[in-house]
């Protein structure tokens, strides 16, 4: 038993705020009883703390109580320690308390410093465990001398308690793995998914969260950012000297250090002029080694390939920084705003787009939202998670807004998600991500899973935290040129089109559209044969031949070449739907109206004059010319009048070209191109 020395007792609080906010009296629990003392060193994991329980060390007592707390739905912290002064006995008593013990300490207000108004979890809970040091026959041990297990708050469920800070830990092995992933430039979300697969755990069940990983990465911030920033600016200036059409903007902070920087290339501006109607602005990545948010503007060209528009590095992710980035981008693109822009769910970015691009339709990337589902809903829904995700996708793909909202309410009720904050937030933002609200806007197919994977893979080519920051500009330029070369190869080696329906509309579209766009239209042409059309007073009703009800309303004005469908597929993707194609076929239309073969999906999407002005590469201009000649032949062969006009104009143009002198350099370039074809 402990001797009751009269010496002065030292009391040390692990958290000083507890001294005034929590009172643990000696009489608040039953003292130890020698008769009830039992040895607890071999106690099972299911044991409950009891008076007289013994431990070899105070750390083993803490671990035991911590395991017990985790099973019960709370966590603990060290509250205070006590010891004898001047008698050499050191530490003699320890208190472990519930993580919600005590009250929020009152902060001293300082007008010169902004205050962080963070909600505290402390609510004055009185649950605790007290242990005291006892020496019997010269062997010291620790015994439980006080235990209160009454909480004034609800305890957490097993699938929630693991999110408490006390149980969120990153092992040294996991830290090394995370840092290795960071060097590849992948996002934190991707790191989490990879580690879940490696550890064979369900999504959302790692012993740490995305926030913990971000905090870890931030702690490894490089110290030589200022030197890197100087090199980065020098690199951009050098690029500008080599190519006057290279564009970059930057800002400096109050200490004359680089704050934000954005850049783009002449080829990017040219691509944007043609394919900048729909843009993805991906801000989910960071240059990890420098702790800088990275934004990349990407689009899709006429061959369905991602194309690079520009990059921005930001010091902060706030309204001011995002507004600056959007202004810089619009400046690069001669003030032309996209029709639509897809981004991650970021309220500061949402507000910046509303200010800087008021005519642009802003939407949220569905694949970025879905990537967060495992951490949001897996633990909450358990075995019903996959069932819920199937229902979510069904609602997402609906056409009617009314059907979506009714179905959403039924889904919330069926899965018991009335109080889930993520569900509430998704519904509040539904007009920004759900297809029923977006189908009347053009997105170039970038909302599909296939395009999302292609765009993400394309972006990953630019990311490498191992590269020095200044070399990042150069690295993007190299990868961009490689991607442009792939595009040129695809243009030269047009796929052998296989016609499936034999319809004149199909062969007409095949001669104009790129293989990518034609394959999308061909799918609709094949499906159109399975639909029936019924003429109504105000248009046509088109439905599948096996259905007796429902269908789509199609409006067609043959004299003006105008056709539209209630499904809005053409407005959404630029490809006519099966319903409209069925009506055109029924109406003996043998060619698709010109306006429904958009320039952005054709093999040639710009004028020869603009190409000659914007392209400085001799080889590239010749390759574009070859593509234009191919299209010229296809268009001219459609009628005798077109063929006569083309023959006359080409003969005249060829005569004028032959009058021009040929330089030795030009002859070498042409010879090289002929050998490469």
């Amino acid at each position: 038993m402990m001797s009751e020395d009269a010496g002065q007792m030292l009391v040390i609080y692990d958290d000083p705020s507890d001294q005034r906010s929590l009172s643990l009296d000696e009489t608040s629990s039953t003292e130890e009883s020698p008769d009830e003392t039992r040895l607890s060193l071999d106690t099972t994991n299911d044991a409950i703390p009891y008076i007289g329980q013994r431990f070899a060390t105070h750390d083993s007592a803490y671990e035991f109580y911590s395991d017990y707390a985790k099973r019960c739905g709370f966590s603990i912290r060290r509250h205070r320690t006590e010891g004898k002064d001047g008698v050499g006995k050191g530490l003699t008593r320890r208190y472990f308390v519930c993580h919600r013990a005590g009250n929020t300490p009152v902060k001293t207000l300082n007008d010169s410093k902004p205050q962080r108004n963070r909600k505290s979890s402390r609510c004055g809970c009185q649950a605790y465990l007290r242990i005291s040091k006892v020496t019997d026959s010269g062997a010291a041990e620790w015994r439980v001398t006080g235990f209160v297990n009454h909480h004034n708050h609800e305890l957490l469920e097993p699938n929630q308690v693991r999110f408490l800070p006390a149980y969120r830990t990153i092992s040294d092995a996991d830290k090394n793995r995370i840092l290795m992933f960071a060097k590849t430039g992948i996002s934190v979300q991707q790191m989490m998914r990879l580690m879940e697969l490696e550890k064979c755990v369900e999504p959302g069940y790692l012993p740490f969260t995305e926030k913990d990983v971000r905090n870890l990465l931030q702690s490894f911030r490089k110290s030589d950012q200022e030197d890197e920033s100087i090199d980065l600016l020098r690199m951009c200036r050098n690029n500008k000297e080599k190519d006057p059409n290279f564009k970059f903007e930057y800002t400096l902070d109050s200490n004359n250090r680089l704050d934000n920087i954005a850049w783009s290339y002449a080829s990017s501006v040219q691509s944007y002029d043609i394919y900048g109607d729909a843009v993805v602005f991906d801000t989910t990545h960071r240059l990890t080694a420098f702790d800088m948010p990275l934004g990349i503007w990407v689009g899709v060209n006429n061959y369905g390939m991602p194309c690079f528009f520009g990059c921005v590095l930001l010091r902060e992710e706030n309204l001011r920084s995002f507004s600056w980035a959007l202004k810089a981008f619009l400046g690069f693109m001669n003030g032309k705003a996209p029709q639509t822009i897809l981004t991650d769910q970021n309220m500061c970015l949402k507000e910046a787009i509303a200010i800087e691009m008021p005519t642009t339709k802003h939407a949220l990337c569905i694949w970025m939202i879905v990537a967060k589902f495992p951490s949001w809903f897996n633990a909450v829904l358990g075995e019903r998670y996959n069932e819920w995700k199937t229902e979510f996708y069904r609602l997402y793909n609906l056409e009617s807004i009314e059907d979506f909202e009714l179905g959403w309410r039924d889904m919330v009720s069926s899965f018991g998600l009335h109080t889930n904050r993520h569900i509430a937030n998704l519904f509040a933002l539904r007009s920004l991500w759900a297809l029923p609200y977006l189908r009347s806007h053009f997105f170039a197919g970038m909302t599909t899973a296939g395009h999302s994977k292609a765009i993400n893979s394309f972006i990953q080519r630019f990311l490498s935290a191992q590269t020095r920051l200044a070399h990042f500009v150069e690295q993007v330029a190299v990868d961009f040129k490689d991607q442009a070369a792939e595009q040129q190869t695809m243009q030269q080696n047009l796929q052998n089109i296989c016609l499936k329906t034999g319809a004149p509309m199909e062969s007409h579209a095949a001669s104009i559209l790129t293989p990518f766009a034609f394959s999308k239209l061909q799918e609709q042409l094949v499906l159109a044969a399975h639909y029936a059309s019924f003429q109504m007073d105000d248009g046509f009703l088109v439905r599948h031949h096996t259905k007796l009800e429902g269908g789509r309303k199609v409006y067609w004005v043959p004299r003006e070449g105008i056709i539209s469908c209630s499904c809005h597929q053409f407005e959404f993707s630029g490809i006519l739907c099966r319903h409209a194609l069925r009506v055109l076929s029924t109406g003996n239309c043998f060619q698709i109206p010109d306006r429904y073969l958009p320039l952005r999906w054709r093999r040639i999407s710009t004028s020869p004059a603009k190409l000659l002005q914007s392209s400085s590469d001799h080889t590239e201009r010749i390759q574009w010319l070859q593509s234009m000649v191919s299209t010229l032949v296809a268009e001219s062969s459609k009628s005798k009048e077109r063929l006569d006009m083309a023959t006359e104009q080409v003969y005249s143009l060829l005569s004028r070209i032959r009058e021009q002198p040929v330089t030795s350099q030009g002859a070498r370039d042409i010879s090289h191109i002929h050998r490469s074809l």
Side-chain angles (χ1 to χ4, degrees):
M1 294 292 292
M2 289 183 58
S3 60
E4 297 297 328
D5 295 338
Q8 182 179 0
M9 180 73 73
L10 284 179
V11 180
I12 302 174
Y13 289 86
D14 287 74
D15 188 338
S17 65
D18 287 337
Q19 185 172 1
R20 61 176 175 274
S21 60
L22 181 65
S23 175
L24 301 179
D25 299 328
E26 295 284 339
T27 58
S28 62
S29 66
T30 306
E31 291 294 333
E32 65 177 1
S33 171
D35 296 334
E36 296 177 358
T37 299
R38 287 179 290 165
L39 191 64
S40 65
L41 298 179
D42 297 324
T43 305
T44 65
N45 290 334
D46 294 330
I48 300 174
Y50 58 89
I51 302 302
Q53 189 174 12
R54 298 179 179 184
F55 298 94
T57 66
H58 57 79
D59 286 334
S60 61
Y62 178 84
E63 292 175 6
F64 175 86
Y65 190 34
S66 180
D67 290 340
Y68 169 77
K70 188 174 184 179
R71 295 195 303 271
C72 292
F74 67 102
S75 65
I76 65 171
R77 70 175 190 273
R78 292 176 172 85
H79 171 56
R80 77 183 187 210
T81 59
E82 298 175 352
K84 296 293 183 178
D85 181 26
V87 296
K89 293 190 176 182
L91 193 64
T92 59
R93 186 175 296 168
R94 299 212 66 158
Y95 288 86
F96 308 131
V97 298
C98 174
H99 73 288
R100 302 194 67 177
N103 297 304
T104 307
V106 179
K107 290 185 177 180
T108 304
L109 295 179
N110 188 339
D111 295 335
S112 62
K113 295 179 66 176
Q115 300 295 315
R116 298 181 66 182
N117 184 23
R118 293 186 296 183
K119 185 178 180 180
S120 174
S121 64
R122 299 192 180 187
C123 61
C125 181
Q126 294 289 319
Y128 76 95
L129 180 77
R130 183 177 69 236
I131 59 175
S132 301
K133 190 175 184 181
V134 179
T135 302
D136 285 338
S137 303
E141 65 179 10
W142 292 83
R143 296 181 186 175
V144 175
T145 58
F147 175 53
V148 171
N149 199 33
H150 301 296
H151 298 263
N152 64 351
H153 55 89
E154 291 186 4
L155 299 180
L156 300 177
E157 295 295 328
N159 62 353
Q160 297 172 320
V161 71
R162 60 195 177 86
F163 292 114
L164 290 174
Y167 305 124
R168 296 193 336 238
T169 57
I170 305 180
S171 67
D172 290 340
D174 287 339
K175 287 179 181 178
N176 293 332
R177 195 75 176 147
I178 289 168
L179 292 177
M180 187 197 73
F181 286 145
K183 290 179 180 180
T184 68
I186 66 175
S187 69
V188 173
Q189 289 180 4
Q190 290 169 323
M191 293 181 196
M192 299 289 285
R193 298 296 86 78
L194 284 172
M195 297 189 75
E196 287 166 352
L197 291 173
E198 290 178 348
K199 294 176 178 292
C200 297
V201 301
E202 290 292 323
Y205 276 82
L206 288 173
F208 47 85
T209 65
E210 289 186 14
K211 182 179 179 181
D212 298 326
V213 175
R214 295 185 193 281
N215 290 338
L216 173 68
L217 294 176
Q218 188 170 355
S219 69
F220 286 93
R221 180 187 303 180
K222 289 180 71 76
S223 60
D224 58 345
Q225 289 184 8
E226 189 169 349
D227 292 338
E228 291 283 350
S229 299
I230 294 172
D231 291 342
L232 177 58
L233 280 174
R234 186 183 298 116
M235 177 72 72
C236 286
R237 292 188 177 113
N238 290 340
N239 283 351
K240 186 71 173 179
E241 290 178 3
K242 296 176 184 177
D243 180 7
N245 292 321
F246 176 80
K247 299 176 182 291
F248 77 102
E249 293 286 343
Y250 66 94
T251 61
L252 302 175
D253 64 15
S254 57
N255 295 318
N256 209 36
R257 293 177 299 189
L258 184 65
D259 197 26
N260 306 308
I261 186 167
W263 68 91
S264 185
Y265 305 91
S267 298
S268 298
V269 177
Q270 175 189 333
S271 295
Y272 181 84
D273 190 47
I274 309 169
Y275 312 116
D277 40 15
V279 173
V280 171
F281 184 31
D282 190 330
T283 58
T284 60
H285 303 278
R286 300 175 79 88
L287 287 189
T288 307
F290 313 98
D291 194 41
M292 293 185 72
L294 171 69
I296 300 180
W297 286 279
V298 182
V300 171
N301 66 14
N302 53 343
Y303 283 81
M305 298 176 64
C307 51
F308 173 84
F309 294 145
C311 257
V312 63
L313 285 169
L314 303 173
R315 185 62 60 187
E316 302 289 343
E317 294 180 274
N318 53 35
L319 176 60
R320 181 186 66 84
S321 295
F322 283 131
S323 292
W324 179 88
L326 295 174
K327 285 180 181 177
F329 180 72
L330 289 175
F332 296 160
M333 304 306 168
N334 303 310
K336 178 183 176 181
Q339 295 177 27
T340 57
I341 187 168
L342 287 160
T343 74
D344 190 21
Q345 187 175 338
N346 185 305
M347 298 313 294
C348 290
L349 180 55
K350 178 178 181 294
E351 187 175 350
I353 291 172
I355 296 172
E356 306 300 337
M357 298 179 173
T359 62
T360 298
K361 172 61 179 176
H362 177 213
L364 302 179
C365 292
I366 187 61
W367 68 85
M368 295 183 187
I369 293 176
V370 171
K372 301 172 185 175
F373 281 178
S375 59
W376 284 357
F377 301 117
N378 199 309
V380 175
L381 294 169
E383 295 180 353
R384 300 193 71 190
Y385 172 71
N386 288 330
E387 179 188 351
W388 171 84
K389 195 162 63 170
T390 300
E391 177 63 8
F392 173 86
Y393 278 119
R394 187 189 71 81
L395 296 175
Y396 168 75
N397 284 293
L398 289 174
E399 293 181 5
S400 164
I401 292 176
E402 182 181 1
D403 290 344
F404 172 85
E405 296 190 350
L406 288 173
W408 187 271
R409 284 196 287 269
D410 291 341
M411 178 268 290
V412 170
S413 177
S414 175
F415 289 88
L417 296 171
H418 298 89
T419 60
N420 187 279
R421 62 186 179 89
H422 296 301
I423 286 291
N425 190 39
L426 282 172
F427 187 71
L429 297 173
R430 61 193 181 281
S431 63
L432 297 180
W433 59 264
L435 290 186
Y437 300 87
L438 301 177
R439 291 189 185 278
S440 59
H441 301 276
F442 180 72
F443 286 96
M446 291 193 294
T447 59
T448 63
H451 268 306
S452 71
K453 292 179 180 178
I455 290 172
N456 188 63
S457 176
F458 179 72
I459 289 174
Q460 292 300 327
R461 296 173 61 172
F462 300 146
L463 301 177
S464 174
Q466 295 175 332
T467 304
R468 288 177 64 85
L469 182 57
H471 295 168
F472 184 75
V473 179
E474 195 172 61
Q475 179 182 343
V476 172
V478 170
D479 285 344
F480 178 57
K481 288 178 181 177
D482 289 345
Q483 198 268 347
E486 292 174 10
Q487 175 182 330
Q488 291 295 342
T489 300
M490 184 178 289
Q491 289 174 333
Q492 292 177 50
N493 302 299
L494 296 177
Q495 302 171 8
N496 293 323
I497 299 298
C498 177
L499 302 182
K500 296 180 179 180
T501 68
M505 280 193 296
E506 185 182 20
S507 58
H508 171 237
S511 68
I512 297 176
L513 300 177
T514 64
F516 168 79
F518 174 71
S519 68
K520 301 297 181 184
L521 182 68
Q522 189 179 52
E523 289 176 7
Q524 298 300 313
L525 278 167
V526 171
L527 291 171
H530 298 269
Y531 283 73
S533 64
F534 308 92
Q535 188 160 9
M536 316 288 285
D537 293 339
D538 56 348
F540 293 82
L541 177 65
V542 181
R543 62 173 172 244
H544 196 269
H545 72 95
T546 61
K547 305 291 183 181
L548 298 178
E549 297 180 354
R552 305 293 187 276
K553 293 294 293 289
V554 177
Y555 304 91
W556 183 32
V557 184
R559 287 175 297 180
E560 300 179 16
I562 296 175
I563 192 167
S564 65
C565 179
S566 60
C567 76
H568 296 294
Q569 177 170 305
F570 179 78
E571 291 84 352
F572 186 67
S573 66
I575 302 295
L576 271 181
C577 63
R578 65 200 75 173
H579 318 108
L581 291 170
R582 177 59 182 165
V583 170
L584 290 176
S585 177
T586 303
N588 298 322
C589 184
F590 301 109
Q591 287 191 355
I592 295 175
D594 196 59
R595 70 176 67 193
Y596 299 107
L597 298 171
L599 288 176
R600 69 119 47 238
W601 292 133
R602 299 191 183 197
R603 294 180 182 180
I604 295 298
S605 320
T606 189
S607 67
K610 180 169 291 187
L611 287 171
L612 293 175
Q613 293 169 2
S614 59
S615 178
S616 58
D617 185 89
H618 189 79
T619 302
E620 181 181 346
R621 292 164 70 180
I622 292 177
Q623 290 170 342
W624 274 106
L625 181 61
Q626 290 172 329
S627 295
M628 285 188 286
V629 170
S630 178
T631 302
L632 175 65
V633 173
E635 289 291 326
S636 302
S637 62
K638 294 175 181 177
S639 69
K640 181 179 183 302
E641 292 77 16
R642 286 189 178 191
L643 186 60
D644 291 343
M645 179 186 296
T647 303
E648 180 182 352
Q649 294 295 328
V650 169
Y651 182 81
S652 175
L653 177 61
L654 187 59
S655 298
R656 295 204 309 271
I657 289 174
R658 284 172 173 166
E659 295 174 359
Q660 301 298 316
V662 178
T663 64
S664 58
Q665 177 63 43
R668 286 196 298 271
D669 290 339
I670 294 173
S671 176
H672 172 73
I673 292 171
H674 286 171
R675 287 197 303 271
S676 64
L677 293 178

